[in-house]
Amino acid sequence: MKLSMILSQLSSGMAGTIWIFVLTLVFSLPLGLLIALGRMSKNRILSGVFRFYISLMRGTPLMLQLMVVYFGPFYLFGMNIGKWRFPAIITGFALNYGAYFAEIYRSGIISMDRGQYEAAKLLGYSKVQTFVRIILPQVVKRILPAITNEVITLVKDTSLAFSISYVEMFTIAKQIAAAKTTMVPFIAAGIFYYVFNFVVAWVMELLEKKLSYYH
């Protein structure tokens, strides 16, 4: 099988891989902040709930979580899950990565000097204003390297969508390799993931430099 034909078939799955990556970030980054704030709540019950959630998401395989999210509505409520596959993937990825991002956010927030809160209070800032205008921009700058690591991991984890039979690039590579008994599709897929990660790391590095310049 010619390389051009392999690349042509793989390209049809690349869009799915990219969509999983983009949508997961769109939902998991803000979700992670909300989870982090809940985890840091002074309400012990609320804090405990989010602590357990984070432990559960980080302590069980992402593949298993995807299966639970996808098949759960059918086994629990008898729902038709035919059109639920892609939303289930995004939901599963967002819930999982939201937990990881939450701990990154939390580490950044608790590292901030308490004196900044007190100074902002003296200047008349409310707690929300203090967090949004003063604390959060500094937190983002501090946690960006850790966020970058998770984002790079996400690029590779998109291949786990095959576990619930979603046809993304890795799934297509497996199908071609099995049908044609060749390693070429895997090599081509590996190159794609490497280039994708290279671009992501480059963009994140530019963002980090920009934030350093403004702060």
Side-chain angles (χ1 to χ4, degrees):
M1 190 175 189
K2 293 183 178 180
L3 179 59
S4 59
M5 294 180 63
I6 293 176
L7 293 177
S8 176
Q9 292 187 40
L10 288 177
S11 65
S12 63
M14 288 179 186
T17 297
I18 293 171
W19 271 115
I20 293 172
F21 172 79
V22 172
L23 291 177
T24 297
L25 289 183
V26 167
F27 291 110
S28 64
L29 284 171
L31 176 63
L33 180 58
L34 293 176
I35 295 171
L37 295 176
R39 167 73 173 79
M40 298 173 67
S41 171
K42 293 181 180 179
N43 184 310
R44 291 186 177 182
I45 296 177
L46 184 63
S47 177
V49 169
F50 282 105
R51 186 196 299 266
F52 174 74
Y53 171 80
I54 292 171
S55 175
L56 182 65
M57 291 294 105
R58 298 201 304 172
T60 56
L62 175 56
M63 185 183 296
L64 174 62
Q65 295 168 20
L66 290 172
M67 291 182 176
V68 169
V69 172
Y70 178 58
F71 293 109
F74 172 76
Y75 288 121
L76 294 175
F77 309 110
M79 292 173 55
N80 183 349
I81 57 175
K83 296 181 179 180
W84 172 236
R85 197 183 312 276
F86 185 72
I89 290 170
I90 302 305
T91 301
F93 270 93
L95 291 175
N96 178 275
Y97 272 83
Y100 283 92
F101 288 141
E103 285 298 271
I104 295 174
Y105 281 123
R106 189 173 70 88
S107 67
I109 293 170
I110 63 177
S111 71
M112 300 303 298
D113 185 0
R114 295 300 303 178
Q116 295 194 52
Y117 292 93
E118 296 171 2
K121 185 177 181 180
L122 291 174
L123 292 172
Y125 284 87
S126 67
K127 289 184 178 180
V128 174
Q129 289 174 325
T130 300
F131 181 76
V132 173
R133 297 183 181 181
I134 299 174
I135 303 300
L136 187 58
Q138 296 180 71
V139 167
V140 171
K141 179 184 174 182
R142 291 190 180 189
I143 67 175
L144 202 55
I147 291 288
T148 299
N149 287 335
E150 287 300 321
V151 171
I152 288 174
T153 300
L154 172 58
V155 173
K156 295 175 286 186
D157 278 352
T158 56
S159 61
L160 292 177
F162 85 91
S163 61
I164 57 174
S165 302
Y166 179 74
V167 182
E168 43 73 61
M169 190 188 61
F170 183 69
T171 306
I172 295 175
K174 285 178 57 182
Q175 293 173 347
I176 298 174
K180 303 299 180 180
T181 60
T182 174
M183 285 289 293
V184 174
F186 290 136
I187 295 173
I191 292 173
F192 168 79
Y193 285 118
Y194 177 78
V195 172
F196 195 176
N197 264 326
F198 182 83
V199 172
V200 168
W202 177 71
V203 170
M204 296 299 285
E205 185 177 352
L206 287 180
L207 181 59
E208 189 173 350
K209 288 180 179 178
K210 186 174 181 179
L211 287 176
S212 298
Y213 175 78
Y214 284 110
H215 293 90

